[in-house]
Amino acid sequence: MRTTQKSRRRAAGVAFTLGAAMVLAACTGGDDDGGNSSAASCTNTIKVEDAPVVTVWAWYPAMEQAVDLFNENNDDVQVCWTNAGQGGDAYQAFSTALEAGSGAPDVMMIEAEFLGQYTIRDALVDLAPLGAADLADEYTEGAWSDVTEGDAVYAIPVDGGPMGFLVRQDIFDEYGVAVPTTWEQFAAAAEQLKTAGYDGYIANFPPNWWAFFQAMAAQRGWAPFEYDSGSTEIGIDMATPEAVEVLSFWEDLVDRDLLATDEAFTADYNASLVDGTYASYVAAAWGPGYLAGLSDADADAVWRAVPLPQWEGQEPRQVNIGGSTFAVSEQADNPELAARVAMEIFGTEEAWQIGIEQAALFPLWRPVLESDDFANLEYPFFGGQQINKDVFLESAAGYEGFTTPPFLTYVYDQGTEQLTALVEGSTDAAGAMEAMQQSVTSYAESQGFTVVE
């Protein structure tokens, strides 16, 4: 959500709207006591009945424990938490409430890359004058860039997804193949594993996960969007040589049957991650927790985390997939109190102990991120390896942010179509990226944007 302007230019004429779904009644409704009514339906238990209540929608694992901790430590405000669905389901419910003019929570969990879909609608409160402007030094440069626009702060970073490379060291060792440190070595290792008799794949290329390709291309310097939130102008340049080069790299491996092309986050995909079908997992920092939570893992597997491969001859670049924030809705009854909750609910070491140990979150709050305890944390799934120190801390520190458009859902949907066509052989890398350029440009124009070169 980066910007080059400090002014907030709102697009009154932009016709862009988000999809709608059923309004969720839980944790909504308000009064004049400085927060939403404590009679609202909460998943958690309110500890102080006469305190003002701030409603929160979030889907973090172990969120209830974090909320309970906050409520136990704050007599003058309580959090009413509801899991209103994950990702798209929650966003649809939030959008419905925004369109209805009521029913939104005070604080909303939003993935950083989707913030623009709400700032364009004036749906989020600028937290800078409510204390957030003083927090910039408490977060990494990339994390702060993703939630700010000039002097405005539209969300508080919570967890991130700096990327690394998770490998089945036992498979590489069994077939005498070195773990790659560059993408050129990755391609060679894929061929070497197959030639040596490995009946799986070095990795998976998921056609239904545009965010994966987006990160891979960003590592090569791809920056397809130039956009200042609220502006009616947007720069779109998707079919760049860098993007085509990266997609061609993956296309070649797919064509040579050196990569699996399973859709991500399905039952078959999950099984393949842990049963030896894939020799590696190109993963964000939440990937280790995702792996460890899967059932039927190979008991003899030896997992190790290593840095993400880089391109030979190019300046090393760190990238990110995922990561979420807390934003304050424009419907909040008491924005100041809601901002305090957004800033403080994961603003203590005790809260982050829950986030790390029970939810496998990767913190973006520097007091924990840069602590010795986090750096030296040993992960049993990785044989006691200190994966944060070895991989993810450097990756997080090097991430500089990525600009996304205010219609990212459409981009993701179109990306899935093109990547699916690619793996099915009905298009190639150049054709897929040109189709993305045309479809995204047309959509932007249909929503009232002027696309500039």
Side-chain angles (χ1 to χ4, degrees), residues 166-383:
L166 311 182
V167 300
R168 281 286 301 268
Q169 188 68 57
D170 54 317
I171 292 176
F172 280 88
D173 289 347
E174 179 181 353
Y175 293 98
V177 177
V179 172
T181 61
T182 68
W183 289 115
E184 291 82 358
Q185 292 174 5
F186 178 92
E191 180 67 49
Q192 291 164 5
L193 284 168
K194 182 177 182 180
T195 300
Y198 174 52
D199 59 1
Y201 300 90
I202 190 171
N204 181 60
F205 181 71
N208 67 329
W209 195 17
W210 179 258
F212 175 83
F213 169 72
Q214 179 174 277
M216 295 297 94
Q219 191 192 32
R220 192 67 177 79
W222 185 57
F225 300 105
E226 292 185 6
Y227 176 68
D228 296 320
S229 181
S231 173
T232 59
E233 295 185 347
I234 186 169
I236 301 175
D237 191 11
M238 304 199 77
T240 67
E242 294 83 4
V244 173
E245 178 185 349
V246 172
L247 190 53
S248 295
F249 171 84
W250 293 96
E251 178 189 13
D252 175 64
L253 295 179
V254 168
D255 289 346
R256 292 159 57 195
D257 197 31
L258 298 178
L259 285 175
T261 56
D262 301 322
E263 291 193 347
F265 312 117
T266 65
D268 288 344
Y269 166 84
N270 289 342
S272 295
L273 279 174
V274 294
D275 69 5
T277 300
Y278 309 150
S280 69
Y281 176 28
V282 183
W286 45 263
Y290 187 80
L291 277 179
L294 297 177
S295 59
D296 300 323
D298 184 347
D300 297 324
V302 179
W303 283 94
R304 292 291 182 268
V306 298
L308 188 69
Q310 299 288 333
W311 290 99
E312 292 179 2
Q314 300 293 319
E315 191 72 21
R317 182 178 279 110
Q318 304 299 335
V319 290
N320 184 90
I321 294 182
S324 300
T325 72
F326 281 135
V328 174
S329 165
E330 55 88 17
Q331 291 183 16
D333 287 336
N334 187 325
E336 292 82 4
L337 208 56
R340 175 181 157 191
V341 169
M343 291 185 285
E344 294 181 7
I345 195 166
F346 274 98
T348 67
E349 293 182 6
E350 193 174 3
W352 268 110
Q353 185 175 2
I354 295 171
I356 293 168
E357 295 181 0
Q358 299 187 44
L361 302 181
F362 186 89
L364 296 176
W365 189 51
R366 285 187 187 274
V368 170
L369 177 66
E370 297 176 355
S371 68
D372 289 340
D373 286 344
F374 186 64
N376 296 327
L377 186 62
E378 297 180 354
Y379 287 74
F381 188 85
F382 291 83

Side-chain angles (χ1 to χ4, degrees), residues 9-199:
R9 293 177 294 157
R10 289 297 166 195
V14 173
F16 175 72
T17 60
L18 298 176
M22 294 177 60
V23 177
L24 299 186
C27 263
T28 60
D31 54 23
D32 296 323
D33 69 353
N36 284 350
S37 171
S38 60
S41 174
C42 305
T43 301
N44 59 290
T45 300
I46 298 297
K47 307 292 185 181
V48 183
E49 291 296 335
D50 59 348
V53 172
V54 171
T55 58
V56 176
W57 285 1
W59 64 87
Y60 288 119
M63 185 66 189
E64 186 167 4
Q65 293 93 313
V67 168
D68 286 344
L69 176 66
F70 181 91
N71 286 346
E72 289 168 1
N73 291 335
N74 292 273
D75 293 336
D76 57 341
V77 60
Q78 296 282 280
V79 168
C80 166
W81 165 66
T82 292
N83 185 337
Q86 296 190 8
D89 291 339
Y91 300 152
Q92 286 180 335
F94 187 48
S95 295
T96 297
L98 294 174
E99 290 160 7
S102 64
D106 298 322
V107 176
M108 179 71 186
M109 175 181 171
I110 302 176
E111 293 160 286
E113 63 263 38
F114 287 101
L115 287 170
Q117 298 195 159
Y118 299 103
T119 58
I120 194 173
R121 304 174 65 185
D122 280 326
L124 305 180
V125 173
D126 178 6
L127 304 179
L130 302 179
D134 299 329
L135 302 182
D137 291 342
E138 295 188 14
Y139 296 91
T140 63
E141 177 184 351
W144 198 246
S145 173
D146 283 344
V147 302
T148 56
E149 300 173 354
D151 293 331
V153 181
Y154 286 109
I156 303 301
V158 181
D159 72 305
M163 295 197 69
F165 189 40
L166 311 182
V167 300
R168 281 286 301 268
Q169 188 68 57
D170 54 317
I171 292 176
F172 280 88
D173 289 347
E174 179 181 353
Y175 293 98
V177 177
V179 172
T181 61
T182 68
W183 289 115
E184 291 82 358
Q185 292 174 5
F186 178 92
E191 180 67 49
Q192 291 164 5
L193 284 168
K194 182 177 182 180
T195 300
Y198 174 52
D199 59 1

